[in-house]
Short mmCIF file of all heavy atoms in Angstrom, two decimals:
data_model
loop_
_atom_site.label_atom_id
_atom_site.label_comp_id
_atom_site.label_asym_id
_atom_site.label_seq_id
_atom_site.Cartn_x
_atom_site.Cartn_y
_atom_site.Cartn_z
N VAL A 8 68.06 101.29 91.71
CA VAL A 8 67.91 100.23 92.71
C VAL A 8 69.14 99.33 92.67
O VAL A 8 69.54 98.85 91.61
CB VAL A 8 66.65 99.39 92.44
CG1 VAL A 8 66.58 98.21 93.42
CG2 VAL A 8 65.39 100.24 92.57
N PHE A 9 69.75 99.11 93.85
CA PHE A 9 70.89 98.19 93.89
C PHE A 9 70.67 97.03 94.86
O PHE A 9 71.42 96.06 94.85
CB PHE A 9 72.18 98.94 94.25
CG PHE A 9 72.26 99.44 95.66
CD1 PHE A 9 72.80 98.65 96.68
CD2 PHE A 9 71.82 100.72 95.99
CE1 PHE A 9 72.89 99.12 97.98
CE2 PHE A 9 71.91 101.20 97.30
CZ PHE A 9 72.44 100.40 98.30
N TYR A 10 69.62 97.11 95.69
CA TYR A 10 69.38 96.00 96.62
C TYR A 10 67.92 95.99 97.06
O TYR A 10 67.33 97.03 97.32
CB TYR A 10 70.27 96.14 97.86
CG TYR A 10 70.14 94.98 98.82
CD1 TYR A 10 70.78 93.77 98.56
CD2 TYR A 10 69.38 95.08 99.98
CE1 TYR A 10 70.65 92.68 99.42
CE2 TYR A 10 69.26 94.01 100.85
CZ TYR A 10 69.89 92.82 100.57
OH TYR A 10 69.76 91.75 101.43
N GLU A 11 67.36 94.78 97.15
CA GLU A 11 66.02 94.58 97.69
C GLU A 11 66.08 93.43 98.67
O GLU A 11 66.76 92.42 98.43
CB GLU A 11 65.03 94.24 96.57
CG GLU A 11 64.78 95.37 95.58
CD GLU A 11 63.85 94.94 94.46
OE1 GLU A 11 64.32 94.29 93.51
OE2 GLU A 11 62.65 95.24 94.55
N ILE A 12 65.36 93.56 99.75
CA ILE A 12 65.34 92.51 100.76
C ILE A 12 63.91 92.17 101.15
O ILE A 12 63.05 93.06 101.25
CB ILE A 12 66.15 92.92 102.01
CG1 ILE A 12 66.30 91.74 102.97
CG2 ILE A 12 65.54 94.12 102.71
CD1 ILE A 12 67.27 92.00 104.10
N ASN A 13 63.65 90.86 101.32
CA ASN A 13 62.33 90.37 101.73
C ASN A 13 61.21 90.82 100.80
O ASN A 13 60.08 91.06 101.22
CB ASN A 13 62.01 90.80 103.17
CG ASN A 13 62.82 90.01 104.18
OD1 ASN A 13 63.31 88.94 103.88
ND2 ASN A 13 62.97 90.56 105.35
N ASN A 14 61.54 90.93 99.53
CA ASN A 14 60.52 91.20 98.53
C ASN A 14 59.82 89.89 98.18
O ASN A 14 60.48 88.89 97.89
CB ASN A 14 61.17 91.80 97.27
CG ASN A 14 60.14 92.26 96.25
OD1 ASN A 14 59.24 91.51 95.92
ND2 ASN A 14 60.29 93.48 95.79
N LEU A 15 58.49 89.85 98.20
CA LEU A 15 57.77 88.60 97.99
C LEU A 15 58.01 88.00 96.61
O LEU A 15 57.75 86.82 96.39
CB LEU A 15 56.27 88.82 98.20
CG LEU A 15 55.84 89.23 99.62
CD1 LEU A 15 54.33 89.35 99.70
CD2 LEU A 15 56.32 88.21 100.64
N HIS A 16 58.51 88.80 95.66
CA HIS A 16 58.74 88.29 94.31
C HIS A 16 60.14 87.73 94.15
O HIS A 16 60.49 87.22 93.09
CB HIS A 16 58.49 89.39 93.28
CG HIS A 16 57.09 89.92 93.32
ND1 HIS A 16 56.01 89.17 92.95
CD2 HIS A 16 56.59 91.12 93.71
CE1 HIS A 16 54.89 89.88 93.08
NE2 HIS A 16 55.22 91.07 93.55
N GLU A 17 60.97 87.83 95.19
CA GLU A 17 62.32 87.28 95.09
C GLU A 17 62.29 85.78 95.39
O GLU A 17 61.52 85.31 96.21
CB GLU A 17 63.27 87.98 96.08
CG GLU A 17 63.68 89.35 95.62
CD GLU A 17 64.91 89.85 96.36
OE1 GLU A 17 65.67 88.99 96.85
OE2 GLU A 17 65.11 91.06 96.41
N SER A 18 63.17 85.05 94.73
CA SER A 18 63.21 83.60 94.88
C SER A 18 63.60 83.17 96.28
O SER A 18 63.28 82.07 96.72
CB SER A 18 64.18 82.99 93.86
OG SER A 18 65.48 83.49 94.07
N SER A 19 64.29 84.04 97.01
CA SER A 19 64.75 83.67 98.35
C SER A 19 63.61 83.67 99.38
O SER A 19 63.80 83.17 100.48
CB SER A 19 65.87 84.60 98.82
OG SER A 19 65.42 85.94 98.84
#
Side-chain angles (χ1 to χ4, degrees):
V8 175
F9 69 90
Y10 184 78
E11 294 177 279
I12 188 170
N13 287 339
N14 187 310
L15 296 183
H16 299 293
E17 284 198 23
S18 60
S19 59

